[in-house]
Amino acid sequence: MARVVVAGAINWDINLHVENFAKVGEEIPVSRITRVPGGKAANVAVAAARILGPSQVSLIGALGKDFIAEAQIEILTKEGVDTSGVKTVDGESGQAYIVIDREGRNMIHTLFGANLEVKPEDLLDSNCRRLIDESSLITIMDPPLETVFKTVDLAKERDKPVLWDPGVRCSLGVEKLESALSLIEYLVVNEVEVGNLAETADLSKAISILLHVNQDLRIIVKLGSEGCLMATREGIVRIPGVPLSSFGMTVVNTVGCGDTFLGVLSASLVSGLEVLEALKRANLAGAFKATRPNTRGSPTIEELSEFAEKVAIRLG
């Protein structure tokens, strides 16, 4: 029985490694190309499964009728993710074309494909309904907006906590997303997204606007190498970043760090950790992933435990 349900995109990532990003009209050489499984929701599901173990995480999404779909299902199943909530539709599976520079920074161009076909009515399918009923936490990434709203409604009907990372939809603003924001427990955004969502560059003002919509909301802001913070009506708590270089580790690829963060956060919450301890664990996992080349470079529970011990000894 899966304790975490993740809803959103499943993509195939084509990573182009370059020295520097091209200017408009400029041609630059690609030093290396990799083709790996990705998609925010699939990445989150895998990251959570590597912490919780087989059959503890399920995925709701869609794939096309192509070779990508077959590969994705095989890979997800090997990772221990329950894919009974993934449907197959006509057309292409989602694909992302990612340019990564020598500093690990990235630019992403996405073909959403089948990911756009996850409809609200799909959640009433017997498989999806069972997954939601049996879960302890619903983690929502980037399905179509109407499907986000339906997922939140179903979760609330069943008294299930919801963690939502709205990503690019933050640009829609608070008013258009208020029906979901008013019902969820955890909102996860980065610095740019929280500003877009609240339509202000002032972080304190943005937090105030969001708490006005939902005073019980836990607003988690990812700060990249600087760590993260959590804002509630009680105040703000900051968790510092991990100085990887002091551990002899190098940033290789930041693509997927946020997904790792979210997956480990979800897994930690359903494991019974208090939210601040869960955030510290997620923060470590995101830093660990930055040292791995693959999008799904999230740590296993053993790797995370070893890394956490190393960090505690050095920083303690």
Side-chain angles (χ1 to χ4, degrees), residues 292-305:
R292 298 295 181 89
N294 288 345
T295 307
R296 291 185 187 168
S298 57
T300 63
I301 184 63
E302 293 81 13
E303 289 171 332
L304 184 56
S305 296

Side-chain angles (χ1 to χ4, degrees), residues 16-214:
L16 306 176
H17 296 265
V18 299
E19 280 292 304
N20 299 291
F21 295 127
K23 300 180 179 68
V24 175
E26 181 184 15
E27 179 180 354
I28 61 172
V30 173
S31 61
R32 182 164 56 93
I33 182 169
T34 58
R35 297 172 178 85
V36 295
K40 288 183 177 297
N43 295 342
V44 169
V46 168
R50 289 179 180 173
I51 301 301
L52 293 174
S55 304
Q56 297 297 300
V57 181
S58 61
L59 181 59
I60 294 175
L63 290 164
K65 294 180 179 178
D66 51 27
F67 77 94
I68 291 176
E70 296 175 8
Q72 293 279 29
I73 293 297
E74 181 180 355
I75 292 167
L76 288 165
T77 300
K78 286 182 178 178
E79 290 280 2
V81 176
D82 180 346
T83 60
S84 61
V86 177
K87 72 173 187 176
T88 302
V89 301
D90 292 331
E92 292 187 90
S93 295
Q95 295 159 64
Y97 298 82
I98 305 170
V99 184
I100 304 162
D101 77 356
R102 62 185 174 188
E103 296 180 28
R105 300 175 301 178
N106 64 82
M107 299 174 64
I108 304 175
H109 310 268
T110 301
L111 170 69
F112 292 105
N115 293 309
L116 297 176
E117 299 303 317
V118 184
K119 306 296 186 183
E121 54 268 27
D122 294 330
L123 300 172
L124 302 178
D125 169 85
S126 59
N127 279 327
C128 292
R129 192 167 61 244
R130 172 184 58 81
L131 294 174
I132 293 171
D133 288 344
E134 294 176 353
S135 68
S136 300
L137 176 73
I138 314 295
T139 298
I140 305 174
M141 297 300 294
D142 48 3
L145 191 56
E146 63 272 18
T147 306
V148 171
F149 294 150
K150 183 64 174 179
T151 306
V152 171
D153 288 342
L154 290 173
K156 292 301 100 182
E157 288 173 9
R158 291 155 174 78
D159 198 27
K160 308 287 185 179
V162 173
L163 190 160
W164 185 26
D165 183 338
V168 68
R169 292 198 177 85
C170 288
S171 60
L172 295 174
V174 168
E175 186 175 346
K176 290 186 178 179
L177 303 182
E178 184 173 357
S179 62
L181 292 170
S182 64
L183 296 175
I184 65 174
E185 284 72 25
Y186 304 94
L187 174 70
V188 181
V189 288
N190 63 31
E191 288 182 278
V192 174
E193 291 165 348
V194 71
N196 290 341
L197 183 57
E199 299 180 70
T200 175
D202 185 322
L203 180 59
S204 296
K205 185 176 180 181
I207 289 168
S208 178
I209 291 170
L210 290 167
L211 289 176
H212 181 73
V213 172
N214 180 352

Side-chain angles (χ1 to χ4, degrees), residues 242-244 247-249 280-291 299-315:
V242 180
L244 290 170
F247 298 101
M249 305 173 80
K280 291 176 184 177
R281 201 184 195 197
N283 191 55
L284 285 173
F288 179 95
K289 191 272 141 208
T291 68
T300 63
I301 184 63
E302 293 81 13
E303 289 171 332
L304 184 56
S305 296
E306 290 175 7
F307 186 50
E309 184 176 349
K310 180 190 295 185
V311 170
I313 291 172
R314 183 72 63 85
L315 300 182

